[in-house]
Amino acid sequence: MLPTLADGDLVVVGYGLQPRPGRLAVVQLPPDESGRARPLAVKRVTGPDPQGGSGWWVERDNPGEGVDSWSVGPVPSSAIRAVVLVRLPRWATRRWGG
């Protein structure tokens, strides 16, 4: 999620919250072409499913890297596992030994 998130940044998330366009969310993307599960990922929620479904359109902040709805389509609401509330930059976490 560069440039928004960098390696070592921490995020505080809220479970059970409704995603909102523009916010970051922890998302379970669908399996890859081989059927292997993808790891949880942080993506930007850009809006509801543009085809009128009950899911969400999610995008990456770095267009040169990663997987998002442009390659897998909208994700179901159940795939949004948490909403990011706060980002703690890595320099701030080092202060407390993180």
Side-chain angles (χ1 to χ4, degrees):
M1 281 297 291
L2 280 170
T4 305
L5 298 175
D7 286 344
D9 288 354
L10 298 178
V11 292
V12 176
V13 301
Y15 294 94
L17 301 177
Q18 181 74 9
R20 293 192 322 233
R23 299 289 302 263
L24 297 179
V26 179
V27 179
Q28 180 65 65
L29 294 168
D32 67 15
E33 300 79 25
S34 302
R36 288 185 302 247
R38 290 186 168 103
L40 291 175
V42 177
K43 301 293 177 188
R44 186 167 303 282
V45 176
T46 59
D49 178 352
Q51 299 170 352
S54 62
W56 294 93
W57 193 264
V58 297
E59 295 185 8
R60 55 204 164 154
D61 281 0
N62 183 346
E65 200 173 308
V67 175
D68 62 11
S69 287
W70 289 106
S71 54
V72 299
V75 297
S77 294
S78 61
I80 306 290
R81 300 295 174 86
V83 174
V84 175
L85 302 173
V86 177
R87 173 187 71 96
L88 299 171
R90 65 177 171 244
W91 59 264
T93 61
R94 287 187 189 148
R95 186 174 178 186
W96 294 289

